[in-house]
Amino acid sequence: MRPGIVLTCAALAAGALVLSGGAQAQEERQDVLGGRHKMYESAQRFAIELRFSPFTPAVDSNPSLHPPTPCPAVGSCSSTPFASTLGKFPRLMFQLEFDWQALRIPHLGTLGPGVGVGYTKMSGPAQFVTPHGPDGILNSGESTSLSIFPFYAVAVLRADVLWREARVPLVPYAKLGFGYSIWRASNTVGTSDFAGNLGVGGSMGTELGVGLAFNLNTFDEYSAKNFDESLGVNNTYAFAEYTRADLDGLGIQANPMRVGGQSWTFGLAVEF
Amino acid sequence: MARAMLLARSMLRRLALVVAFVVTGVLVSTAAQAQTVSASGQPFPLRLTPTGASACGSGTPASACTSTRLQNLNPLGISYADCVSDMVLQFSVTLTGFTGTDSLEVWASLTSDCTALTDRGIGATAALCWGLRTGNIVDPIINTPNTYSFNVRVQDLVGWQQVPPTPGEAANPPAQGPSACNAQATFAAVPINVNFLAIDSSGNSDGTPYQYQINTDMVGPPAPSGVGESVGETIYNVTWTANSDSDTAGYDIYIDPIPGQESGGSGVALEGGQKVICPDASASVADAATTADGELLESSTEPAEAAPLPFDGGCYTINVGGVPPTSASGFNCNDSILASAITEDAGADADTVVSTPVFDEAGDLLEAGVEEGAGGISTIPSQYIYKPNSGFTIADKSVGQYTIEGLIDGVTYTTVVAAVDGTGNIGPPSTEVCDYPAPVKDFWQNYEEDGGGPGSFCALETIGRGGSSLAGVGCVLALAAVVRRRRRKTP
């Protein structure tokens, strides 16, 4: 194991223990001041996640892509239409996920289905076919963009045993399922159209997510219990997740646009 | 005895009350019969041509002819176009209680109700009101309500707002001509009171007058600054800095050649800029044509040929073409009709600071907001306005960008932007920019040319095509089957 990873794990564990100790201390104090709250805990059935991620679709990973023949007079002669037109830098993707914690596995956590939807859009200037004007500029005043609306359905396993039984506010989790993203390529005038092909479509594939959620209840258990009493929210988390969507068609679609990709997703989650 | 005295006093008191009641009734009755001028059933003046015909077009009944403009363009107000067309406003008022010793006169003023003799120039060195040549009714005997119509020329109404006629002429000032339409000093709208007065034989205002306030605005807002452009495939983006003045309500974009009529496009290339020409000899050239670097290209002392002249003999702004810095592609514009258009500045200097006065009910000045910029009226023919049918190209003051679509690649288009006020006055055009649309490659074209595809199954375009909805159903079923199969494999 690499030393960096070891150090990171050690730091996380130490931090969790410290926070856990703090939480314990706070809990003891709460016992004295507000014992009534300790007795109440609403049923926990669902979870909602607000998800944000810097995202770059893996369009250029399509194995069917090849340099155009002959190479154009303007632009790169490569097989990276996304990077050469819209750039490699990531754009913000926003997602919303709803999970049903259908099954509680003793001494492990919850398991259940989840569905999610999101949106992201990447834009850039379309390039002139030939250099324009006396200065020979390449970037035109026309914009070109790719909008992606990802939908997915996953099975979610949340191992909250650490929190529930050891008061360690860390909940590792994993997701696995299917994704289907609707996409639309457009320009200033509207949906793109080239050689009779409209720039709209859908791509399907697999969805994978592995993450770690930090239970924010540990900062203020008294407020957390009030939150539970008033709104039924059991836990509030901040999380970081490695997300991977391989929208390669699952063998069903031929040559779909690879609008999935890998990204780090951050967000807030509540269980209720 | 004492009782009789008390009874007598009580009787006297009651008698006094009765007398007082009767006297009051008589007075009230007399007041009700005093001369009263009021609005008739037609609350807005009708719009007529100088010949008295309907200004709303043939076949339009006069009763429906309250405006020549769209509802979003202050239809009850007065615009520059109304003025130069020599429009006539037909007011309809009801007279009651005229006894034969009064006449009805119509006066206009910016601030006064014209009931005071001095406001009408009688016994004063200056008049605040000016009479309107309406064919006043003299000595009518009207005991019952009767409705009369009075025709008011717009030019007579607006022409004296800066310098009212001399006291001797106030009651019957000379008729105004087209130059009256340049009388407004600022681009902010000016409300004018039209007062219908019963005047007795001594010249005093009598009875209850009727006042109608009409909003006049004959100066368009200042030209937008920072105009730029960019082009794409068959498209042309125009950008500008949105106006911040209180008058602007939207923008018009002029384009030459007119889309769809490209064969009749512009002329030769011309370098230049914007210059201001003052018609009076003493002012001569206020500015000269310059290049982008400020280099003097030409100057002129010849007066502009456009008519009418500004009210105060002020200066004209003339675009002379060619403003390379605002053209993204870096080339000069053609000498189109947009570049040679002449605009009038309403008699103010080109960079005037305009005050917008705010008065209280007594007519006292409360504050004067300051707005910079030179208003005016564009004289570019309206057929060059892009999408002119709605009254605006863009009906939003805060907008600073517009994309013209459906153009022809390779044709050089010249565009200017002019601000439009809420009455439909189109202000002076901006400096022009020009460019030619050209083919571009967007992401989708690059992707397709590189071998990408939309996906052959479950892609939206597959489902959407005729006869292939079955493919969509099959897709969903296949997806469900895959899910089911994997679930079965799950222990």
Side-chain angles (χ1 to χ4, degrees):
Chain A
M1 190 176 284
R2 291 178 184 172
I5 297 176
V6 172
L7 281 175
T8 305
C9 291
L12 277 172
L17 283 174
V18 168
L19 286 168
S20 172
Q24 291 276 18
Q26 196 175 35
E27 183 70 14
E28 286 162 10
R29 182 168 52 83
Q30 294 289 339
D31 287 344
V32 176
L33 297 176
R36 182 175 66 88
H37 294 283
K38 189 175 175 63
M39 302 303 292
Y40 181 83
E41 185 177 8
S42 65
Q44 179 182 317
R45 291 282 183 270
F46 306 101
I48 287 179
E49 291 182 356
L50 279 174
R51 302 159 57 82
F52 304 90
S53 59
F55 178 74
T56 303
V59 173
D60 293 341
S61 69
N62 188 338
S64 300
L65 295 177
H66 54 78
T69 307
C71 287
V74 175
S76 62
C77 188
S78 67
S79 56
T80 57
F82 182 88
S84 60
T85 311
L86 299 172
K88 295 178 180 176
F89 59 95
R91 271 75 162 195
L92 179 67
M93 174 181 278
F94 166 77
Q95 289 176 304
L96 186 66
E97 181 179 313
F98 179 80
D99 297 341
W100 175 30
Q101 297 176 341
L103 179 65
R104 173 158 289 284
I105 303 170
H107 309 297
L108 178 59
T110 61
L111 178 65
V115 292
V117 61
Y119 172 72
T120 187
K121 181 178 182 178
M122 43 260 353
S123 300
Q127 291 204 321
F128 286 114
V129 173
T130 57
H132 187 75
D135 296 340
I137 60 173
L138 295 178
N139 286 343
S140 75
E142 183 169 346
S143 70
T144 177
S145 60
L146 175 65
S147 303
I148 302 172
F149 302 85
F151 298 86
Y152 59 88
V154 290
V156 184
L157 173 64
R158 294 182 189 274
D160 59 1
V161 61
L162 287 175
W163 168 246
R164 293 177 70 88
E165 298 186 6
R167 310 310 290 175
V168 176
L170 295 176
V171 177
Y173 64 90
K175 303 171 183 177
L176 184 64
F178 298 96
Y180 185 83
S181 289
I182 296 170
W183 47 264
R184 174 176 179 258
S186 59
N187 52 41
T188 300
V189 180
T191 301
S192 297
D193 185 355
F194 179 73
N197 285 334
L198 272 181
V200 290
S203 303
M204 65 172 64
T206 56
E207 289 274 343
L208 169 70
V210 179
L212 187 65
F214 180 83
N215 195 322
L216 300 176
N217 288 11
T218 191
F219 288 121
D220 189 347
E221 292 231 359
Y222 183 78
S223 297
K225 286 176 180 175
N226 277 335
F227 202 23
D228 190 9
E229 276 193 13
S230 57
L231 294 174
V233 173
N234 304 88
N235 297 296
T236 306
Y237 298 96
F239 65 87
E241 175 186 318
Y242 168 75
T243 308
R244 176 172 180 149
D246 293 309
L247 304 182
D248 57 2
L250 291 173
I252 300 172
Q253 287 182 294
N255 194 20
M257 186 187 287
R258 268 57 167 180
V259 292
Q262 305 176 54
S263 63
W264 282 97
T265 302
F266 305 92
L268 289 172
V270 291
E271 289 178 326
F272 57 98
Chain B
M1 183 65 182
R3 188 169 181 173
M5 287 287 288
L6 283 173
L7 187 63
R9 279 183 189 170
S10 175
M11 290 289 287
L12 281 172
R13 204 175 293 134
R14 289 181 186 178
L15 183 63
L17 282 172
V18 169
V19 169
F21 181 77
V22 170
V23 169
T24 304
V26 168
L27 287 175
V28 169
S29 172
T30 304
Q33 288 179 353
Q35 299 82 355
T36 301
V37 188
S38 59
S40 71
Q42 171 59 52
F44 312 115
L46 301 181
R47 312 286 171 131
L48 307 177
T49 64
T51 60
S54 167
C56 307
S58 60
T60 305
S63 59
C65 183
T66 56
S67 175
T68 53
R69 283 187 299 280
L70 301 171
Q71 285 299 313
N72 63 340
L73 292 176
N74 188 18
L76 301 179
I78 295 297
S79 70
Y80 181 85
D82 292 341
C83 184
V84 295
S85 69
D86 200 11
M87 178 180 283
V88 173
L89 302 176
Q90 186 174 80
F91 291 89
S92 180
V93 296
T94 299
L95 310 184
T96 308
F98 280 63
T99 59
T101 59
D102 294 86
S103 61
L104 186 121
E105 297 181 5
V106 186
W107 292 75
S109 176
L110 293 180
T111 56
S112 171
D113 63 5
C114 303
T115 54
L117 281 171
T118 51
D119 287 357
R120 282 180 272 128
I122 301 172
T125 56
L128 290 178
C129 304
W130 56 96
L132 296 171
R133 305 154 63 90
T134 60
N136 297 333
I137 296 177
V138 179
D139 294 338
I141 300 175
I142 304 167
N143 294 318
T144 57
N146 209 339
T147 298
Y148 285 82
S149 294
F150 299 90
N151 288 354
V152 175
R153 287 180 67 236
V154 165
Q155 292 176 0
D156 289 338
L157 177 67
V158 301
W160 300 101
Q161 60 181 282
Q162 285 299 305
V163 183
T166 60
E169 291 183 324
N172 193 18
Q176 288 279 355
S179 63
C181 305
N182 300 104
Q184 187 176 319
T186 73
F187 52 73
V190 177
I192 295 180
N193 299 323
V194 182
N195 301 293
F196 297 82
L197 308 175
I199 303 293
D200 66 15
S201 55
S202 303
N204 295 308
S205 173
D206 211 359
T208 305
Y210 168 64
Q211 185 180 77
Y212 182 88
Q213 190 177 69
I214 191 165
N215 225 24
T216 69
D217 191 351
M218 300 177 297
V219 180
S225 60
V227 178
E229 57 76 26
S230 62
V231 294
E233 188 166 327
T234 71
I235 67 166
Y236 190 115
N237 299 316
V238 189
T239 57
W240 61 92
T241 303
N243 279 8
S244 59
D245 62 85
S246 60
D247 198 34
T248 298
Y251 303 93
D252 273 345
I253 294 177
Y254 293 95
I255 181 168
D256 178 35
I258 300 168
Q261 303 175 28
E262 278 80 359
S263 58
S266 345
V268 297
L270 176 74
E271 292 200 10
Q274 197 171 47
K275 64 183 178 182
V276 179
I277 293 180
C278 299
D280 57 307
S282 60
S284 71
V285 178
D287 196 358
T290 58
T291 65
D293 301 328
E295 180 186 351
L296 184 67
L297 287 175
E298 60 173 311
S299 62
S300 171
T301 56
E302 295 178 0
E305 295 177 356
L309 293 172
F311 177 78
D312 68 349
C315 303
Y316 296 97
T317 302
I318 301 178
N319 294 325
V320 292
V323 189
T326 52
S327 181
S329 52
F331 55 81
N332 294 331
C333 300
N334 289 337
D335 185 22
S336 78
I337 189 171
L338 307 186
S340 60
I342 297 171
T343 58
E344 297 164 35
D345 70 350
D349 292 336
D351 57 351
T352 188
V353 175
V354 179
S355 297
T356 305
V358 179
F359 298 94
D360 63 11
E361 292 181 353
D364 297 327
L365 183 66
L366 291 177
E367 63 180 46
V370 177
E371 296 177 309
E372 295 185 9
I377 292 291
S378 168
T379 56
I380 301 174
S382 61
Q383 65 262 32
Y384 290 94
I385 300 175
Y386 187 69
K387 291 186 176 177
N389 294 334
S390 64
F392 299 100
T393 303
I394 305 107
D396 187 344
K397 173 183 175 179
S398 62
V399 168
Q401 187 272 337
Y402 190 80
T403 299
I404 300 173
E405 300 176 3
L407 303 180
I408 297 177
D409 288 345
V411 173
T412 297
Y413 294 88
T414 301
T415 55
V416 295
V417 186
V420 186
D421 66 21
T423 312
N425 296 304
I426 304 173
S430 67
T431 52
E432 72 278 13
V433 292
C434 56
D435 207 337
Y436 60 91
V440 301
K441 288 176 73 174
D442 65 2
F443 161 71
W444 182 242
Q445 182 174 348
N446 281 329
Y447 179 75
E448 291 283 281
E449 287 182 344
D450 288 357
S456 59
F457 198 58
C458 287
L460 284 185
E461 68 281 11
T462 303
I463 297 172
R465 282 177 185 162
S468 34
S469 57
L470 194 59
V473 175
C475 167
V476 173
L477 292 176
L479 188 59
V482 169
V483 172
R484 236 181 122 190
R485 203 176 304 134
R486 296 204 175 189
R487 272 186 184 164
R488 280 177 183 167
K489 288 178 181 175
T490 305

